[in-house]
Amino acid sequence: DLLKYERPEELLHKPMMDIIYPEDREMVRQRIRKALQQNRMAPLKEERFLGNDGNVALAEVTAIPFSYSKKPAVLVLAQDVTLRKQAEQALRETENYFQALFNSIPEAVLVIDMKSYRILAVNDVMVSRYGYSREEFLNMDATQIRPPEDINKFKEVLGKELTGIPEFAGEFKHQKKDGTTFPVLIYRQRLDLRSEPAFVTVAVDNTERAQVEEERALLAKASEVFNTTFDLEEILDRVTKIAAGVIGDGCAICLKEEGQEFLGIASLNSVMNKNLELKVHQLVRNQPLSLSNTYMGKVATTGQPILIEDTLAVDKSLEYFQALSLKTFLAVPIRSKEKVLGVLACSSVREGSRFGQRELRLAQQLADRAAMAIENAKLFKNIELLEEKRRALFEYAGDAIFILDLEGT
């Protein structure tokens, strides 16, 4: 059966090496020679045979030395393992296919033991997004990728009955190896592995959507503020407070006045250190913000935003980065139509903080809304001044004054 011959007699007197796969023949000769020399059974080893149908057959083979007609001979015992090997190969191919499929999922996926919370498997996105190696993950449990305040919520949800149908578990926070936390949407499904209860979790990074919602809320709040007052000082103070609480930890607005070579600080707020505000004012008194040789001045004159992700990479002599220990900085124009009214600048003193395009975009959107509010406040102020002049004219005029409509009534 192994070699696909119809009758045993077909193999009689056939040279043994004729049925051995060519590349295995020398190895077989050495095994037989060694078995005869040592008069000891050769250990089991996989060998390839050439079948009568031209196909290759796999067998586990051993050789037992004995005497046949007073001549040294070996008794070869071969067990066909072709089907087993084919099954093993098919299993490997299936495993490789599902592993490739597992790793092709564009979101983070992990398999968790339901009893111990131990992580049993992770895909490539988990490794790249969270910063742990695959080996590190497999020595961790699922609580270790969550901030402490989220662990009880995770265990509570885990305790709920799971079915074989995917379900949405809720929004959680996950924690990377460097300690950074980010929002995720969790989907899970029960999976029984070797009779052990487990579940597959898909963690969809919700950072972008959360940021968009945060931006919308911020801009809605800013619009609400601008619609409730025409007081310019109050508007500027609220803008810097909003920006300092979301974009960075410090924010200033400088207005550009006609004919002036320097910018004046109209509003300044810091959520980290109130002493920083005093220090900024002192620095500006000693070294005014020139339109020609400061970053904020360049924004005011060119109308183009500036983003400095890392202040260590720039010449600190042009700004106050070193004196104020600023780590990252941006400045955007407050522009009404083609006219630059001033500059909105944000910064952070936190170690490792870096502004990017998101912060720059958000600052510009806030500045655009601020520009409209500033113009409205100025217009309202002009109307108030005109009204005061009209009242003064009526109050102090020595002659009679009439106001008539076009019909003379």
Side-chain angles (χ1 to χ4, degrees), residues 132-354:
Y132 293 100
S133 68
R134 199 176 304 274
E135 291 71 24
E136 287 176 313
F137 269 125
L138 298 182
N139 286 292
M140 296 166 56
D141 66 64
T143 63
Q144 292 174 271
I145 60 170
R146 289 166 168 78
E149 63 272 15
D150 243 29
I151 292 177
N152 286 338
K153 179 183 176 183
F154 160 69
K155 291 181 177 179
E156 180 181 328
V157 171
L158 189 61
K160 296 180 180 178
E161 186 67 25
L162 269 177
T163 66
I165 302 174
E167 63 176 44
F168 176 61
E171 184 169 353
F172 294 79
K173 283 186 178 179
H174 275 188
Q175 185 168 288
K176 300 181 181 180
K177 187 175 182 179
D178 63 6
T180 304
T181 60
F182 63 103
V184 292
L185 301 177
I186 296 296
Y187 298 85
R188 60 183 191 149
Q189 180 179 351
R190 185 183 178 97
L191 177 69
D192 292 328
L193 294 174
R194 303 180 187 89
S195 301
E196 291 295 327
F199 61 94
V200 180
T201 293
V202 179
V204 179
D205 188 348
N206 198 37
T207 303
E208 187 173 341
R209 196 186 81 172
Q211 288 176 346
V212 170
E213 291 176 353
E214 182 182 51
E215 290 174 13
R216 287 176 179 171
L218 171 66
L219 297 176
K221 181 179 180 181
S223 297
E224 182 182 345
V225 168
F226 299 153
N227 292 332
T228 57
T229 180
F230 288 108
D231 184 275
L232 180 58
E233 185 176 337
E234 184 178 356
I235 289 172
L236 298 180
D237 182 63
R238 291 187 180 183
V239 171
T240 54
K241 282 181 178 177
I242 292 172
V246 178
I247 299 175
D249 46 56
C251 179
I253 288 180
C254 296
L255 295 182
K256 182 182 177 184
E257 301 293 342
E258 293 291 339
Q260 296 293 322
E261 296 182 3
F262 301 96
L263 291 171
I265 296 181
S267 180
L268 174 66
N269 270 292
S270 171
V271 297
M272 291 290 289
N273 185 356
K274 290 300 178 182
N275 291 330
L276 186 66
E277 299 175 21
L278 179 61
K279 196 171 185 178
V280 170
H281 285 296
Q282 291 174 340
L283 283 170
V284 173
R285 278 199 298 270
N286 297 330
Q287 187 181 351
L289 292 167
S290 169
L291 291 174
S292 59
N293 64 356
T294 63
Y295 286 116
M296 293 178 70
K298 290 177 182 177
V299 173
T301 53
T302 65
Q304 298 299 314
I306 285 178
L307 170 64
I308 302 174
E309 296 181 17
D310 184 1
T311 60
L312 293 176
V314 300
D315 182 2
K316 300 180 184 63
S317 65
L318 295 177
E319 284 289 350
Y320 310 106
F321 300 148
Q322 188 172 21
L324 300 174
S325 301
L326 305 184
K327 301 300 184 291
T328 187
F329 174 85
L330 65 80
V332 296
I334 301 174
R335 184 170 40 215
S336 177
K337 298 179 181 178
E338 299 302 319
K339 182 181 179 182
V340 176
L341 306 177
V343 178
L344 171 65
C346 297
S347 62
S348 178
V349 298
R350 294 186 180 94
E351 288 293 338
S353 58
R354 295 287 185 273

Side-chain angles (χ1 to χ4, degrees), residues 378-392:
K378 287 183 176 181
L379 179 61
F380 183 75
K381 186 66 175 178
N382 289 335
I383 293 173
E384 282 188 327
L385 291 174
L386 289 173
E387 180 64 18
E388 288 178 6
K389 289 180 181 180
R390 186 189 68 80
R391 288 176 182 171

